[in-house]
Each structure stands twice: as C-alpha cells, then as structure tokens.
Amino acid sequence: MKKCMNCEKELEGRVGKKFCSSYCKSNYHYARRKDKEDSFFKTVDKKLKLNRRILKNYNRAGKATVRAEVLTKHGFDPNYFTHYWKNKNGVVYLFCYEFGFLSFRDAKGVKKFTLIKWQGHMAN
C-alpha cells in the first residue's frame, strides 16, 4: 500500500493518491517551498558567520596583517561581507559585522589581508 507523502499514513481511495488529506498536501508543499527559500539565506548566513569567526580569531589586537592563504585555509571567503567603509584616503575596507579586512599584495607579490575592528569614528 502507498503512504501519505507528509505523514506516512496508509492511503485509501484512488490509485494515484499521494496525500491523505488537503492539510497534509498543503503542509508538504509548504515545507518544501520553505526549505528552498531558506537554503540561499542559510548559505550566505553560514558564510558570513564563518568569515566573522575567522577574522575575530586572527584580529585579537584590533589591527593585524595576515597572509590570505592562512585565512582561506580556514574557509574565509572575501566575497561575503556585510558592509564597507571608505577611509579619508579612499581605501575601501570590507566588513563582516564588526571585523573588517583589506586585500593587498606586499612587495614580493604575496596576497595578504589587513584586519581591523570597527571603530566609532567610522560611522561618520
């Protein structure tokens, strides 16, 4: 016997029936749609939280410089950030919540990140 796709109760009635009631049918489709909608949000949120955790871990003093390979090894993705701040010289720092970063290459061509923490004067 076939079972309801939502509650797995045994089905009675016509051959092609998939749900035991209109409630189960509605609940099943609502849950599937909700999972699809949330998947993008959950992915982005997860990446932002991971980025923040990594930046926090490597920036305990308020300002630091770290090789890009060190951060990316832990899963840091600079394409995910919450906002940006442009200093008076026009340099743009990207932020994951209160932890910011600036990508640059040193004199030897090694990619690095300058890490900073959000300060009150940056709000202006």
Side-chain angles (χ1 to χ4, degrees):
M1 277 202 105
K2 286 189 89 177
K3 294 185 176 186
C4 176
M5 292 176 73
N6 185 58
C7 69
E8 298 189 6
K9 179 179 167 184
E10 287 190 15
L11 296 175
E12 297 177 5
R14 65 180 174 82
V15 177
K17 198 171 183 181
K18 296 180 182 181
F19 303 97
C20 63
S21 67
S22 58
Y23 171 80
C24 276
K25 181 178 178 181
S26 178
N27 191 44
Y28 174 82
H29 290 294
Y30 174 78
R32 284 190 59 205
R33 185 173 53 252
K34 184 178 176 201
D35 288 344
K36 283 183 183 177
E37 289 172 358
D38 287 350
S39 65
F40 178 72
F41 169 78
K42 287 178 183 176
T43 300
V44 171
D45 190 51
K46 192 175 187 180
K47 289 183 182 198
L48 287 172
K49 287 178 180 176
L50 176 62
N51 279 356
R52 181 190 179 276
R53 189 167 47 250
I54 293 166
L55 292 172
K56 181 180 179 183
N57 187 47
Y58 282 94
N59 187 12
R60 300 207 182 264
K63 186 170 183 181
T65 301
V66 182
R67 287 179 173 242
E69 65 188 41
V70 173
L71 298 182
T72 54
K73 179 180 73 173
H74 294 291
F76 180 76
D77 186 344
N79 295 314
Y80 290 87
F81 55 92
T82 56
H83 61 288
Y84 70 92
W85 172 69
K86 187 187 293 187
N87 69 11
K88 63 183 175 184
N89 298 328
V91 177
V92 177
Y93 287 84
L94 303 176
F95 278 81
C96 284
Y97 305 102
E98 74 273 29
F99 296 99
F101 60 96
L102 171 67
S103 177
F104 71 97
R105 292 200 180 272
D106 68 6
K108 295 179 181 178
V110 178
K111 186 175 180 182
K112 294 184 176 183
F113 289 107
T114 297
L115 309 181
I116 62 172
K117 191 169 181 185
W118 183 263
Q119 303 292 317
H121 67 85
M122 296 175 174
N124 297 334

